[in-house]
Amino acid sequence: MALETTDFLDIDDLTPAELDRVLERASAMKAGEDAAQLPNQTLAMIFEKPSTRTRVSFETGLTDLGGHAMFLGPDDIQLGHGEPLRDTARVLGRYTDGVMARLFDHEDVEILAEYADCPVINGLTDQAHPCQTLADLLTIREHAGEDVRVAWVGDGNNVGQSFVVGAAMAGIDVTVATPAEYAMDEAIFDRAADFGADPTVTTDPAAAVADADVVYTDVWISMGQEDERERKLAAFDGFQVNEELLAGSDAAVMHCLPAHRGEEITNAVLESERALAWDQAENRLHAQKALLVELLE
């Protein structure tokens, strides 16, 4: 049965049942119980932002599936500069079986999806990171099961926004702790409510962590925000995931990487047995393989 959507621009482009199906397939592929292949399929991978996990996981994943992934960096194609983005999308849609794009502006990935006559996957925009959410939910299933409470601590950024909606779809209870000036968009909580969820929102990280089974954080200064560094470091005072914040808790800790050790998380916590960051990173591969099969098969 095909997915209802032909594109994957944010996590709720899937239905909850489809999300569960992708995660089940990812688990089966990881365990060697699903040998689906995409022979001779080609994926165009557009990168405005540099990447380790996104590039390597998609390229390795499609190779494992018998296909070919093509890296297209900012110096390789005329992405919205030498020609309109819609024209690039039209051409890629005729050459390739799918497009994965890691961009700054979310509207750009929407343009790609509108004009490319093939599935388009959001590998990250400033608004959303749904592929990371797939890996996060797979990791939580493996380590914490279904009945779990997660605390998001830090910036209300693209990773957090997609995660809150994805967690709502998966029936996971979430508390969001951010400084007031770096809160998530209210529309994110409205989308979570569409799936029957009511995330708790606070500016107190200690309160968020108190009853959590999993604590999730991400960088405070994302790519392109370097000029905000000093202001953000001041605003996030007290939000570092460290041994003091986690005192008395046996919560696992998640981070989507790369980490700025000593800022949003300490080296001691990231290198501890409670850290799941490396499983999250590996699960990008398995979750994206499952997604590619569901979209392109």
Side-chain angles (χ1 to χ4, degrees), residues 22-23 26-27 29-31 53 57 130-143 254 276-291:
V22 171
L23 295 176
S27 294
M29 297 181 92
K30 184 175 183 178
R53 281 150 292 277
S57 58
C131 289
Q132 181 63 52
T133 298
L134 290 178
D136 296 338
L137 295 176
L138 181 58
T139 305
I140 289 171
R141 279 192 176 196
E142 291 174 342
H143 290 276
M254 292 172 53
L276 302 180
W278 323 116
D279 293 326
Q280 289 174 264
E282 178 187 343
N283 282 337
R284 288 288 302 276
L285 172 66
H286 307 299
Q288 286 159 191
K289 286 172 67 175
L291 177 67

PDB file of all heavy atoms in Angstrom, residues 22-23 26-27 29-31 53 57 130-143 254 276-291:
ATOM      1  N   VAL A  22       6.434   3.127   8.658  1.00  0.00           N
ATOM      2  CA  VAL A  22       7.825   3.444   8.323  1.00  0.00           C
ATOM      3  C   VAL A  22       8.755   2.995   9.438  1.00  0.00           C
ATOM      4  O   VAL A  22       9.820   2.405   9.191  1.00  0.00           O
ATOM      5  CB  VAL A  22       7.987   4.952   8.036  1.00  0.00           C
ATOM      6  CG1 VAL A  22       9.463   5.328   7.917  1.00  0.00           C
ATOM      7  CG2 VAL A  22       7.251   5.343   6.755  1.00  0.00           C
ATOM      8  N   LEU A  23       8.371   3.250  10.688  1.00  0.00           N
ATOM      9  CA  LEU A  23       9.218   2.865  11.823  1.00  0.00           C
ATOM     10  C   LEU A  23       9.317   1.344  11.957  1.00  0.00           C
ATOM     11  O   LEU A  23      10.391   0.807  12.263  1.00  0.00           O
ATOM     12  CB  LEU A  23       8.677   3.481  13.111  1.00  0.00           C
ATOM     13  CG  LEU A  23       8.728   5.015  13.192  1.00  0.00           C
ATOM     14  CD1 LEU A  23       8.075   5.501  14.476  1.00  0.00           C
ATOM     15  CD2 LEU A  23      10.154   5.538  13.085  1.00  0.00           C
ATOM     16  N   ALA A  26      11.664   0.262   9.302  1.00  0.00           N
ATOM     17  CA  ALA A  26      13.035   0.606   9.673  1.00  0.00           C
ATOM     18  C   ALA A  26      13.604  -0.405  10.658  1.00  0.00           C
ATOM     19  O   ALA A  26      14.759  -0.832  10.537  1.00  0.00           O
ATOM     20  CB  ALA A  26      13.076   2.012  10.270  1.00  0.00           C
ATOM     21  N   SER A  27      12.801  -0.807  11.644  1.00  0.00           N
ATOM     22  CA  SER A  27      13.246  -1.808  12.611  1.00  0.00           C
ATOM     23  C   SER A  27      13.550  -3.129  11.922  1.00  0.00           C
ATOM     24  O   SER A  27      14.560  -3.791  12.223  1.00  0.00           O
ATOM     25  CB  SER A  27      12.166  -2.027  13.683  1.00  0.00           C
ATOM     26  OG  SER A  27      11.991  -0.872  14.475  1.00  0.00           O
ATOM     27  N   MET A  29      14.346  -3.601   8.753  1.00  0.00           N
ATOM     28  CA  MET A  29      15.526  -3.470   7.903  1.00  0.00           C
ATOM     29  C   MET A  29      16.794  -3.486   8.749  1.00  0.00           C
ATOM     30  O   MET A  29      17.799  -4.092   8.376  1.00  0.00           O
ATOM     31  CB  MET A  29      15.430  -2.192   7.065  1.00  0.00           C
ATOM     32  CG  MET A  29      14.258  -2.195   6.095  1.00  0.00           C
ATOM     33  SD  MET A  29      14.141  -0.708   5.087  1.00  0.00           S
ATOM     34  CE  MET A  29      15.089  -1.221   3.661  1.00  0.00           C
ATOM     35  N   LYS A  30      16.747  -2.839   9.899  1.00  0.00           N
ATOM     36  CA  LYS A  30      17.897  -2.818  10.799  1.00  0.00           C
ATOM     37  C   LYS A  30      18.222  -4.225  11.284  1.00  0.00           C
ATOM     38  O   LYS A  30      19.401  -4.593  11.424  1.00  0.00           O
ATOM     39  CB  LYS A  30      17.612  -1.896  11.983  1.00  0.00           C
ATOM     40  CG  LYS A  30      18.777  -1.722  12.949  1.00  0.00           C
ATOM     41  CD  LYS A  30      18.444  -0.702  14.033  1.00  0.00           C
ATOM     42  CE  LYS A  30      19.624  -0.474  14.965  1.00  0.00           C
ATOM     43  NZ  LYS A  30      19.322   0.557  15.991  1.00  0.00           N
ATOM     44  N   ALA A  31      17.188  -5.026  11.508  1.00  0.00           N
ATOM     45  CA  ALA A  31      17.378  -6.386  12.006  1.00  0.00           C
ATOM     46  C   ALA A  31      17.688  -7.382  10.892  1.00  0.00           C
ATOM     47  O   ALA A  31      17.890  -8.570  11.163  1.00  0.00           O
ATOM     48  CB  ALA A  31      16.131  -6.835  12.757  1.00  0.00           C
ATOM     49  N   ARG A  53      25.847  13.529   8.874  1.00  0.00           N
ATOM     50  CA  ARG A  53      24.884  12.452   8.986  1.00  0.00           C
ATOM     51  C   ARG A  53      23.904  12.405   7.816  1.00  0.00           C
ATOM     52  O   ARG A  53      23.597  11.320   7.305  1.00  0.00           O
ATOM     53  CB  ARG A  53      24.126  12.567  10.323  1.00  0.00           C
ATOM     54  CG  ARG A  53      24.918  12.034  11.508  1.00  0.00           C
ATOM     55  CD  ARG A  53      24.584  12.749  12.799  1.00  0.00           C
ATOM     56  NE  ARG A  53      25.062  14.127  12.756  1.00  0.00           N
ATOM     57  CZ  ARG A  53      26.319  14.489  13.035  1.00  0.00           C
ATOM     58  NH1 ARG A  53      27.201  13.583  13.385  1.00  0.00           N
ATOM     59  NH2 ARG A  53      26.689  15.747  12.960  1.00  0.00           N
ATOM     60  N   SER A  57      24.241   9.140   5.511  1.00  0.00           N
ATOM     61  CA  SER A  57      23.150   8.182   5.724  1.00  0.00           C
ATOM     62  C   SER A  57      22.319   7.989   4.461  1.00  0.00           C
ATOM     63  O   SER A  57      21.955   6.854   4.116  1.00  0.00           O
ATOM     64  CB  SER A  57      22.265   8.622   6.899  1.00  0.00           C
ATOM     65  OG  SER A  57      21.717   9.900   6.685  1.00  0.00           O
ATOM     66  N   PRO A 130      12.273  16.560   9.555  1.00  0.00           N
ATOM     67  CA  PRO A 130      11.469  15.355   9.776  1.00  0.00           C
ATOM     68  C   PRO A 130      12.251  14.057   9.715  1.00  0.00           C
ATOM     69  O   PRO A 130      11.877  13.076  10.373  1.00  0.00           O
ATOM     70  CB  PRO A 130      10.420  15.429   8.660  1.00  0.00           C
ATOM     71  CG  PRO A 130      11.065  16.252   7.586  1.00  0.00           C
ATOM     72  CD  PRO A 130      11.872  17.268   8.324  1.00  0.00           C
ATOM     73  N   CYS A 131      13.333  14.000   8.932  1.00  0.00           N
ATOM     74  CA  CYS A 131      14.133  12.770   8.883  1.00  0.00           C
ATOM     75  C   CYS A 131      14.784  12.496  10.227  1.00  0.00           C
ATOM     76  O   CYS A 131      14.921  11.335  10.639  1.00  0.00           O
ATOM     77  CB  CYS A 131      15.189  12.873   7.779  1.00  0.00           C
ATOM     78  SG  CYS A 131      14.496  12.802   6.113  1.00  0.00           S
ATOM     79  N   GLN A 132      15.189  13.542  10.933  1.00  0.00           N
ATOM     80  CA  GLN A 132      15.735  13.368  12.277  1.00  0.00           C
ATOM     81  C   GLN A 132      14.663  12.833  13.216  1.00  0.00           C
ATOM     82  O   GLN A 132      14.934  11.975  14.062  1.00  0.00           O
ATOM     83  CB  GLN A 132      16.285  14.687  12.807  1.00  0.00           C
ATOM     84  CG  GLN A 132      16.907  14.596  14.189  1.00  0.00           C
ATOM     85  CD  GLN A 132      18.126  13.691  14.218  1.00  0.00           C
ATOM     86  OE1 GLN A 132      19.041  13.858  13.427  1.00  0.00           O
ATOM     87  NE2 GLN A 132      18.141  12.720  15.130  1.00  0.00           N
ATOM     88  N   THR A 133      13.442  13.309  13.063  1.00  0.00           N
ATOM     89  CA  THR A 133      12.359  12.839  13.925  1.00  0.00           C
ATOM     90  C   THR A 133      12.105  11.355  13.729  1.00  0.00           C
ATOM     91  O   THR A 133      11.842  10.628  14.700  1.00  0.00           O
ATOM     92  CB  THR A 133      11.075  13.641  13.664  1.00  0.00           C
ATOM     93  OG1 THR A 133      11.307  15.018  13.991  1.00  0.00           O
ATOM     94  CG2 THR A 133       9.918  13.139  14.507  1.00  0.00           C
ATOM     95  N   LEU A 134      12.179  10.868  12.496  1.00  0.00           N
ATOM     96  CA  LEU A 134      12.034   9.427  12.273  1.00  0.00           C
ATOM     97  C   LEU A 134      13.071   8.652  13.080  1.00  0.00           C
ATOM     98  O   LEU A 134      12.752   7.672  13.749  1.00  0.00           O
ATOM     99  CB  LEU A 134      12.190   9.103  10.784  1.00  0.00           C
ATOM    100  CG  LEU A 134      11.088   9.546   9.835  1.00  0.00           C
ATOM    101  CD1 LEU A 134      11.462   9.174   8.397  1.00  0.00           C
ATOM    102  CD2 LEU A 134       9.748   8.925  10.206  1.00  0.00           C
ATOM    103  N   ALA A 135      14.326   9.090  13.004  1.00  0.00           N
ATOM    104  CA  ALA A 135      15.396   8.421  13.748  1.00  0.00           C
ATOM    105  C   ALA A 135      15.178   8.538  15.253  1.00  0.00           C
ATOM    106  O   ALA A 135      15.440   7.583  16.007  1.00  0.00           O
ATOM    107  CB  ALA A 135      16.750   9.010  13.357  1.00  0.00           C
ATOM    108  N   ASP A 136      14.714   9.689  15.714  1.00  0.00           N
ATOM    109  CA  ASP A 136      14.465   9.895  17.144  1.00  0.00           C
ATOM    110  C   ASP A 136      13.395   8.941  17.658  1.00  0.00           C
ATOM    111  O   ASP A 136      13.547   8.318  18.720  1.00  0.00           O
ATOM    112  CB  ASP A 136      14.017  11.334  17.403  1.00  0.00           C
ATOM    113  CG  ASP A 136      15.071  12.358  17.059  1.00  0.00           C
ATOM    114  OD1 ASP A 136      16.272  12.000  17.020  1.00  0.00           O
ATOM    115  OD2 ASP A 136      14.693  13.521  16.819  1.00  0.00           O
ATOM    116  N   LEU A 137      12.298   8.833  16.915  1.00  0.00           N
ATOM    117  CA  LEU A 137      11.203   7.970  17.351  1.00  0.00           C
ATOM    118  C   LEU A 137      11.609   6.499  17.309  1.00  0.00           C
ATOM    119  O   LEU A 137      11.208   5.712  18.177  1.00  0.00           O
ATOM    120  CB  LEU A 137       9.970   8.219  16.475  1.00  0.00           C
ATOM    121  CG  LEU A 137       9.353   9.617  16.594  1.00  0.00           C
ATOM    122  CD1 LEU A 137       8.197   9.764  15.613  1.00  0.00           C
ATOM    123  CD2 LEU A 137       8.879   9.901  18.021  1.00  0.00           C
ATOM    124  N   LEU A 138      12.413   6.135  16.328  1.00  0.00           N
ATOM    125  CA  LEU A 138      12.927   4.763  16.274  1.00  0.00           C
ATOM    126  C   LEU A 138      13.814   4.477  17.485  1.00  0.00           C
ATOM    127  O   LEU A 138      13.718   3.408  18.111  1.00  0.00           O
ATOM    128  CB  LEU A 138      13.701   4.554  14.975  1.00  0.00           C
ATOM    129  CG  LEU A 138      14.299   3.160  14.739  1.00  0.00           C
ATOM    130  CD1 LEU A 138      13.224   2.083  14.757  1.00  0.00           C
ATOM    131  CD2 LEU A 138      15.074   3.134  13.415  1.00  0.00           C
ATOM    132  N   THR A 139      14.654   5.439  17.848  1.00  0.00           N
ATOM    133  CA  THR A 139      15.540   5.279  19.005  1.00  0.00           C
ATOM    134  C   THR A 139      14.748   5.158  20.299  1.00  0.00           C
ATOM    135  O   THR A 139      15.059   4.315  21.159  1.00  0.00           O
ATOM    136  CB  THR A 139      16.515   6.469  19.090  1.00  0.00           C
ATOM    137  OG1 THR A 139      17.230   6.584  17.845  1.00  0.00           O
ATOM    138  CG2 THR A 139      17.507   6.299  20.220  1.00  0.00           C
ATOM    139  N   ILE A 140      13.720   5.972  20.453  1.00  0.00           N
ATOM    140  CA  ILE A 140      12.889   5.910  21.660  1.00  0.00           C
ATOM    141  C   ILE A 140      12.187   4.560  21.743  1.00  0.00           C
ATOM    142  O   ILE A 140      12.102   3.951  22.819  1.00  0.00           O
ATOM    143  CB  ILE A 140      11.879   7.071  21.676  1.00  0.00           C
ATOM    144  CG1 ILE A 140      12.615   8.391  21.946  1.00  0.00           C
ATOM    145  CG2 ILE A 140      10.800   6.855  22.732  1.00  0.00           C
ATOM    146  CD1 ILE A 140      11.761   9.620  21.773  1.00  0.00           C
ATOM    147  N   ARG A 141      11.680   4.055  20.623  1.00  0.00           N
ATOM    148  CA  ARG A 141      11.044   2.729  20.622  1.00  0.00           C
ATOM    149  C   ARG A 141      12.009   1.652  21.106  1.00  0.00           C
ATOM    150  O   ARG A 141      11.637   0.763  21.864  1.00  0.00           O
ATOM    151  CB  ARG A 141      10.583   2.381  19.207  1.00  0.00           C
ATOM    152  CG  ARG A 141       9.282   2.998  18.790  1.00  0.00           C
ATOM    153  CD  ARG A 141       8.782   2.367  17.508  1.00  0.00           C
ATOM    154  NE  ARG A 141       7.477   2.873  17.137  1.00  0.00           N
ATOM    155  CZ  ARG A 141       6.677   2.290  16.251  1.00  0.00           C
ATOM    156  NH1 ARG A 141       7.072   1.171  15.647  1.00  0.00           N
ATOM    157  NH2 ARG A 141       5.497   2.810  15.966  1.00  0.00           N
ATOM    158  N   GLU A 142      13.246   1.749  20.652  1.00  0.00           N
ATOM    159  CA  GLU A 142      14.236   0.732  21.003  1.00  0.00           C
ATOM    160  C   GLU A 142      14.622   0.765  22.472  1.00  0.00           C
ATOM    161  O   GLU A 142      14.853  -0.273  23.092  1.00  0.00           O
ATOM    162  CB  GLU A 142      15.489   0.920  20.146  1.00  0.00           C
ATOM    163  CG  GLU A 142      15.299   0.608  18.679  1.00  0.00           C
ATOM    164  CD  GLU A 142      16.530   0.938  17.854  1.00  0.00           C
ATOM    165  OE1 GLU A 142      17.392   1.714  18.335  1.00  0.00           O
ATOM    166  OE2 GLU A 142      16.621   0.441  16.726  1.00  0.00           O
ATOM    167  N   HIS A 143      14.689   1.957  23.049  1.00  0.00           N
ATOM    168  CA  HIS A 143      15.260   2.107  24.393  1.00  0.00           C
ATOM    169  C   HIS A 143      14.236   2.379  25.486  1.00  0.00           C
ATOM    170  O   HIS A 143      14.506   2.086  26.654  1.00  0.00           O
ATOM    171  CB  HIS A 143      16.295   3.235  24.394  1.00  0.00           C
ATOM    172  CG  HIS A 143      17.541   2.905  23.639  1.00  0.00           C
ATOM    173  ND1 HIS A 143      18.575   2.202  24.208  1.00  0.00           N
ATOM    174  CD2 HIS A 143      17.903   3.149  22.359  1.00  0.00           C
ATOM    175  CE1 HIS A 143      19.543   2.042  23.312  1.00  0.00           C
ATOM    176  NE2 HIS A 143      19.161   2.610  22.185  1.00  0.00           N
ATOM    177  N   MET A 254      19.217  12.381  24.691  1.00  0.00           N
ATOM    178  CA  MET A 254      19.296  12.378  23.236  1.00  0.00           C
ATOM    179  C   MET A 254      19.863  13.699  22.733  1.00  0.00           C
ATOM    180  O   MET A 254      19.632  14.760  23.324  1.00  0.00           O
ATOM    181  CB  MET A 254      17.918  12.112  22.624  1.00  0.00           C
ATOM    182  CG  MET A 254      17.416  10.709  22.888  1.00  0.00           C
ATOM    183  SD  MET A 254      15.696  10.393  22.379  1.00  0.00           S
ATOM    184  CE  MET A 254      15.689  10.929  20.681  1.00  0.00           C
ATOM    185  N   LEU A 276      22.198   8.558  24.112  1.00  0.00           N
ATOM    186  CA  LEU A 276      21.691   7.763  22.993  1.00  0.00           C
ATOM    187  C   LEU A 276      22.034   8.396  21.649  1.00  0.00           C
ATOM    188  O   LEU A 276      21.536   7.951  20.609  1.00  0.00           O
ATOM    189  CB  LEU A 276      20.162   7.632  23.092  1.00  0.00           C
ATOM    190  CG  LEU A 276      19.598   6.998  24.371  1.00  0.00           C
ATOM    191  CD1 LEU A 276      18.075   6.940  24.299  1.00  0.00           C
ATOM    192  CD2 LEU A 276      20.179   5.615  24.602  1.00  0.00           C
ATOM    193  N   ALA A 277      22.893   9.395  21.655  1.00  0.00           N
ATOM    194  CA  ALA A 277      23.158  10.157  20.430  1.00  0.00           C
ATOM    195  C   ALA A 277      23.690   9.284  19.301  1.00  0.00           C
ATOM    196  O   ALA A 277      23.370   9.504  18.123  1.00  0.00           O
ATOM    197  CB  ALA A 277      24.137  11.287  20.721  1.00  0.00           C
ATOM    198  N   TRP A 278      24.481   8.297  19.651  1.00  0.00           N
ATOM    199  CA  TRP A 278      25.098   7.469  18.602  1.00  0.00           C
ATOM    200  C   TRP A 278      24.073   6.515  17.998  1.00  0.00           C
ATOM    201  O   TRP A 278      24.121   6.220  16.797  1.00  0.00           O
ATOM    202  CB  TRP A 278      26.294   6.722  19.188  1.00  0.00           C
ATOM    203  CG  TRP A 278      27.024   7.590  20.168  1.00  0.00           C
ATOM    204  CD1 TRP A 278      27.166   7.376  21.503  1.00  0.00           C
ATOM    205  CD2 TRP A 278      27.644   8.864  19.898  1.00  0.00           C
ATOM    206  NE1 TRP A 278      27.842   8.427  22.083  1.00  0.00           N
ATOM    207  CE2 TRP A 278      28.144   9.358  21.130  1.00  0.00           C
ATOM    208  CE3 TRP A 278      27.818   9.637  18.747  1.00  0.00           C
ATOM    209  CZ2 TRP A 278      28.819  10.575  21.242  1.00  0.00           C
ATOM    210  CZ3 TRP A 278      28.482  10.853  18.847  1.00  0.00           C
ATOM    211  CH2 TRP A 278      28.965  11.303  20.088  1.00  0.00           C
ATOM    212  N   ASP A 279      23.115   6.064  18.808  1.00  0.00           N
ATOM    213  CA  ASP A 279      22.030   5.253  18.268  1.00  0.00           C
ATOM    214  C   ASP A 279      21.122   6.100  17.370  1.00  0.00           C
ATOM    215  O   ASP A 279      20.651   5.624  16.329  1.00  0.00           O
ATOM    216  CB  ASP A 279      21.209   4.638  19.398  1.00  0.00           C
ATOM    217  CG  ASP A 279      22.007   3.607  20.181  1.00  0.00           C
ATOM    218  OD1 ASP A 279      22.839   2.917  19.574  1.00  0.00           O
ATOM    219  OD2 ASP A 279      21.802   3.492  21.403  1.00  0.00           O
ATOM    220  N   GLN A 280      20.864   7.343  17.781  1.00  0.00           N
ATOM    221  CA  GLN A 280      20.098   8.237  16.924  1.00  0.00           C
ATOM    222  C   GLN A 280      20.778   8.411  15.566  1.00  0.00           C
ATOM    223  O   GLN A 280      20.118   8.375  14.526  1.00  0.00           O
ATOM    224  CB  GLN A 280      19.968   9.620  17.571  1.00  0.00           C
ATOM    225  CG  GLN A 280      19.063   9.717  18.768  1.00  0.00           C
ATOM    226  CD  GLN A 280      19.167  11.103  19.379  1.00  0.00           C
ATOM    227  OE1 GLN A 280      19.928  11.305  20.335  1.00  0.00           O
ATOM    228  NE2 GLN A 280      18.438  12.048  18.842  1.00  0.00           N
ATOM    229  N   ALA A 281      22.091   8.626  15.610  1.00  0.00           N
ATOM    230  CA  ALA A 281      22.830   8.835  14.367  1.00  0.00           C
ATOM    231  C   ALA A 281      22.740   7.603  13.479  1.00  0.00           C
ATOM    232  O   ALA A 281      22.487   7.705  12.269  1.00  0.00           O
ATOM    233  CB  ALA A 281      24.290   9.176  14.672  1.00  0.00           C
ATOM    234  N   GLU A 282      22.936   6.417  14.057  1.00  0.00           N
ATOM    235  CA  GLU A 282      22.823   5.193  13.253  1.00  0.00           C
ATOM    236  C   GLU A 282      21.416   5.037  12.698  1.00  0.00           C
ATOM    237  O   GLU A 282      21.227   4.627  11.543  1.00  0.00           O
ATOM    238  CB  GLU A 282      23.164   3.965  14.102  1.00  0.00           C
ATOM    239  CG  GLU A 282      23.020   2.663  13.308  1.00  0.00           C
ATOM    240  CD  GLU A 282      23.170   1.414  14.127  1.00  0.00           C
ATOM    241  OE1 GLU A 282      23.703   1.486  15.258  1.00  0.00           O
ATOM    242  OE2 GLU A 282      22.755   0.349  13.626  1.00  0.00           O
ATOM    243  N   ASN A 283      20.426   5.370  13.499  1.00  0.00           N
ATOM    244  CA  ASN A 283      19.039   5.166  13.082  1.00  0.00           C
ATOM    245  C   ASN A 283      18.599   6.112  11.975  1.00  0.00           C
ATOM    246  O   ASN A 283      17.574   5.856  11.327  1.00  0.00           O
ATOM    247  CB  ASN A 283      18.109   5.255  14.286  1.00  0.00           C
ATOM    248  CG  ASN A 283      18.142   3.991  15.115  1.00  0.00           C
ATOM    249  OD1 ASN A 283      18.493   2.916  14.622  1.00  0.00           O
ATOM    250  ND2 ASN A 283      17.780   4.100  16.392  1.00  0.00           N
ATOM    251  N   ARG A 284      19.368   7.183  11.729  1.00  0.00           N
ATOM    252  CA  ARG A 284      19.096   7.981  10.526  1.00  0.00           C
ATOM    253  C   ARG A 284      19.172   7.082   9.290  1.00  0.00           C
ATOM    254  O   ARG A 284      18.346   7.174   8.373  1.00  0.00           O
ATOM    255  CB  ARG A 284      20.117   9.125  10.402  1.00  0.00           C
ATOM    256  CG  ARG A 284      19.967  10.256  11.403  1.00  0.00           C
ATOM    257  CD  ARG A 284      18.740  11.123  11.118  1.00  0.00           C
ATOM    258  NE  ARG A 284      18.771  11.695   9.778  1.00  0.00           N
ATOM    259  CZ  ARG A 284      19.414  12.828   9.444  1.00  0.00           C
ATOM    260  NH1 ARG A 284      20.095  13.496  10.361  1.00  0.00           N
ATOM    261  NH2 ARG A 284      19.361  13.289   8.216  1.00  0.00           N
ATOM    262  N   LEU A 285      20.161   6.208   9.241  1.00  0.00           N
ATOM    263  CA  LEU A 285      20.345   5.315   8.105  1.00  0.00           C
ATOM    264  C   LEU A 285      19.142   4.394   7.927  1.00  0.00           C
ATOM    265  O   LEU A 285      18.559   4.313   6.834  1.00  0.00           O
ATOM    266  CB  LEU A 285      21.621   4.492   8.302  1.00  0.00           C
ATOM    267  CG  LEU A 285      21.878   3.369   7.291  1.00  0.00           C
ATOM    268  CD1 LEU A 285      22.116   3.938   5.909  1.00  0.00           C
ATOM    269  CD2 LEU A 285      23.062   2.518   7.736  1.00  0.00           C
ATOM    270  N   HIS A 286      18.744   3.715   8.993  1.00  0.00           N
ATOM    271  CA  HIS A 286      17.678   2.726   8.879  1.00  0.00           C
ATOM    272  C   HIS A 286      16.320   3.384   8.607  1.00  0.00           C
ATOM    273  O   HIS A 286      15.540   2.882   7.786  1.00  0.00           O
ATOM    274  CB  HIS A 286      17.616   1.886  10.151  1.00  0.00           C
ATOM    275  CG  HIS A 286      18.929   1.292  10.518  1.00  0.00           C
ATOM    276  ND1 HIS A 286      19.604   0.407   9.706  1.00  0.00           N
ATOM    277  CD2 HIS A 286      19.736   1.477  11.612  1.00  0.00           C
ATOM    278  CE1 HIS A 286      20.739   0.052  10.268  1.00  0.00           C
ATOM    279  NE2 HIS A 286      20.840   0.687  11.434  1.00  0.00           N
ATOM    280  N   ALA A 287      16.044   4.503   9.288  1.00  0.00           N
ATOM    281  CA  ALA A 287      14.767   5.185   9.087  1.00  0.00           C
ATOM    282  C   ALA A 287      14.654   5.741   7.674  1.00  0.00           C
ATOM    283  O   ALA A 287      13.587   5.671   7.052  1.00  0.00           O
ATOM    284  CB  ALA A 287      14.605   6.302  10.120  1.00  0.00           C
ATOM    285  N   GLN A 288      15.738   6.284   7.160  1.00  0.00           N
ATOM    286  CA  GLN A 288      15.694   6.863   5.815  1.00  0.00           C
ATOM    287  C   GLN A 288      15.625   5.790   4.737  1.00  0.00           C
ATOM    288  O   GLN A 288      14.998   5.988   3.692  1.00  0.00           O
ATOM    289  CB  GLN A 288      16.884   7.798   5.623  1.00  0.00           C
ATOM    290  CG  GLN A 288      16.691   9.091   6.403  1.00  0.00           C
ATOM    291  CD  GLN A 288      17.957   9.850   6.691  1.00  0.00           C
ATOM    292  OE1 GLN A 288      17.950  10.793   7.485  1.00  0.00           O
ATOM    293  NE2 GLN A 288      19.071   9.479   6.101  1.00  0.00           N
ATOM    294  N   LYS A 289      16.260   4.650   4.975  1.00  0.00           N
ATOM    295  CA  LYS A 289      16.101   3.542   4.040  1.00  0.00           C
ATOM    296  C   LYS A 289      14.639   3.120   3.952  1.00  0.00           C
ATOM    297  O   LYS A 289      14.090   2.907   2.862  1.00  0.00           O
ATOM    298  CB  LYS A 289      16.978   2.354   4.450  1.00  0.00           C
ATOM    299  CG  LYS A 289      18.453   2.555   4.182  1.00  0.00           C
ATOM    300  CD  LYS A 289      19.308   1.439   4.766  1.00  0.00           C
ATOM    301  CE  LYS A 289      19.088   0.114   4.093  1.00  0.00           C
ATOM    302  NZ  LYS A 289      20.018  -0.918   4.614  1.00  0.00           N
ATOM    303  N   ALA A 290      13.984   3.020   5.109  1.00  0.00           N
ATOM    304  CA  ALA A 290      12.576   2.654   5.112  1.00  0.00           C
ATOM    305  C   ALA A 290      11.732   3.708   4.413  1.00  0.00           C
ATOM    306  O   ALA A 290      10.813   3.382   3.637  1.00  0.00           O
ATOM    307  CB  ALA A 290      12.091   2.468   6.559  1.00  0.00           C
ATOM    308  N   LEU A 291      12.023   4.978   4.656  1.00  0.00           N
ATOM    309  CA  LEU A 291      11.296   6.055   4.007  1.00  0.00           C
ATOM    310  C   LEU A 291      11.483   6.019   2.491  1.00  0.00           C
ATOM    311  O   LEU A 291      10.530   6.162   1.723  1.00  0.00           O
ATOM    312  CB  LEU A 291      11.770   7.405   4.551  1.00  0.00           C
ATOM    313  CG  LEU A 291      11.147   8.647   3.908  1.00  0.00           C
ATOM    314  CD1 LEU A 291       9.655   8.738   4.255  1.00  0.00           C
ATOM    315  CD2 LEU A 291      11.878   9.923   4.352  1.00  0.00           C
TER     316      LEU A 291
END
